Amino acid sequence: MEKKVILSGMRPTGRLHVGHYVGALENWIALQNDYRNYHLIADYHVLTTNLDTSSIYQDSLEMLIDWLAAGLDPEKSPMFRQSQVKEHCELQLIFSMLITVNRLERNPTLKDQIRDLEIENLVYGHLGYPVLQSADILLYKGQVVPVGEDQVPHIEITRELARRFNHTYGQVFPEPEPLLTKTPRLIGLDGNAKMSKSLGNTIFLSDTKEEIKLKLRKAVTDTQKLRKGDPGRPEVCVVFSYHQKFNPDEVLEISRDCSTGKLGCVDCKLKCTGKIDSFLKPIYEKRKELETNNALLIEILNDGETKARGIAGDTMAQVRDAMKIG
Ligand code: TRP
């Protein structure tokens, strides 16, 4: 049976953190043998919230390094920048005629961003963010989109646009499904529901053991557990949630020893530092190698972008055909 197509992407906003890994990247890597994969560096999408383009290129390379270091294989999963495939803009324009302003204003992810970033005057392109994202997915006829849960409303819009196009002009697009990871999000070091660079509560994939140790030292635990002998409540502790992810074999013991007061936060944090460090170490080593090999990174992008242009061009030919615009 023919493999289904995965299309997923991230905005290049600098180095990735473990929240990105757990929310999406881990899934991409696990799925790369069973699907036909395409992975997009959504550099135009960065413009919706940041007009300063001076670091976009470098940030895109940093993200590519993290993807490769974490285990994404360019042979199986072509990686490319959105800005290098013009068809994204073309399809976005057509899709922008097939959805109402009202529908886009109801997007909960947009509402969250407006609140979190304190946006007073929304630009037209930001309102249209999911329209460009729909073009990203449907140009490659993506059927499965592994993303974090905040992206699910965008996939719903993608499905609506696929239906609307197919109904108006004839069948061209599939209706893609989101695919969430088992741990869709990781809590921030400060206890915030989301790990996010702008909140400064992250552990980067590129952090050293010393950096991880310092960050965990400040991480929020059970505020009622003041000293070692006090009984703790693992279920409200950020560090415990990291143990669940990075140290699954010891969670029962840690939960018991925390609850009885036998295990203090200092020791628990050191244990956790060790586990996160051994988890990240191979990524860190590979990153170091890639950082000094710019030529390889450029070759990977060139190759991915050539493949992407081929597919995107074919889809646009079908779109124009269906629309009878030659
Ligand atoms: N909106 C996604 C995010 O912020 C990034 C993205 C852009 C994307 N285009 C995409 C994700 C297409 C999946 C598919 O994480």
Side-chain angles (χ1 to χ4, degrees), residues 7-11 40 42 45 129 133 136-137 145 147 151:
L7 179 297
S8 197
M10 292 184 195
R11 277 173 302 158
L40 161 99
H45 269 123
Y129 187 115
Q133 183 164 348
D136 297 340
I137 297 168
V145 191
V147 279
Q151 295 298 310

Side-chain angles (χ1 to χ4, degrees), residues 109-119 122 126:
T109 304
L110 179 70
K111 289 185 187 163
D112 287 351
Q113 281 178 345
I114 291 175
R115 190 197 54 225
D116 294 347
L117 305 173
E118 297 174 10
I119 296 171
L122 186 72
H126 195 170

